[in-house]
Amino acid sequence: MIGRCLLIAAVVATVAACGAQSSGGASDGGLYGTVRISPATPVCVSGRPCSRPARGFKLLFSRGGHTVTATTDGRGRYRVHLSAGRYLVRAAAASRNASPKAGLQPRAVSVPGTGFARRNFVYDSGIR
């Protein structure tokens, strides 16, 4: 009976230890934050926000020939699982007719080795 209890305890401990180990993959962490469009209107008015949340905005995170897409929610928020490292970031549907001032900032981000880090983006619409 004691041998059986020890065997069960050893199996439980082994399973618990396996579950606690990290896979080292993309699920270990990543980024989260917001994307805002600024300016949101051709003329900014004092006392009114000149930016707005980027709803349904697609961010493309690229590294080593692989690209991961994250899409913002109705409040301009995103969350994406990424492996640690440095990524180039761009907007999925940048207009070919956009102003030279238009674009996403920042254009590169670093993902920490563990956990999620906050990285906010601003998409300059180029309208003035």
Side-chain angles (χ1 to χ4, degrees):
M1 182 71 172
I2 293 176
R4 189 174 197 187
C5 289
L6 288 175
L7 179 61
I8 291 171
V11 170
V12 169
T14 302
V15 170
C18 288
Q21 291 178 354
S22 166
S23 67
S27 64
D28 291 347
L31 300 176
Y32 72 97
T34 60
V35 180
R36 297 199 60 82
I37 295 176
S38 180
T41 60
V43 178
C44 295
V45 178
S46 180
R48 289 189 180 159
C50 199
S51 68
R52 65 175 171 80
R55 298 175 183 95
F57 193 91
K58 291 186 189 271
L59 294 169
L60 302 176
F61 296 87
S62 300
R63 184 181 107 185
H66 297 284
T67 300
V68 176
T69 303
T71 304
T72 62
D73 65 12
R75 296 168 70 187
R77 300 175 302 185
Y78 77 95
R79 182 176 177 92
V80 62
H81 289 270
L82 296 167
S83 297
R86 189 144 176 88
Y87 290 80
L88 296 178
V89 188
R90 62 183 165 70
S95 171
R96 296 188 200 287
N97 300 325
S99 160
K101 296 178 184 178
L104 189 68
Q105 289 296 326
R107 292 185 179 168
V109 294
S110 291
V111 176
T114 59
F116 280 80
R118 182 179 189 88
R119 300 290 184 266
N120 294 329
F121 294 91
V122 174
Y123 183 77
D124 186 333
S125 63
I127 60 173
R128 302 282 191 272

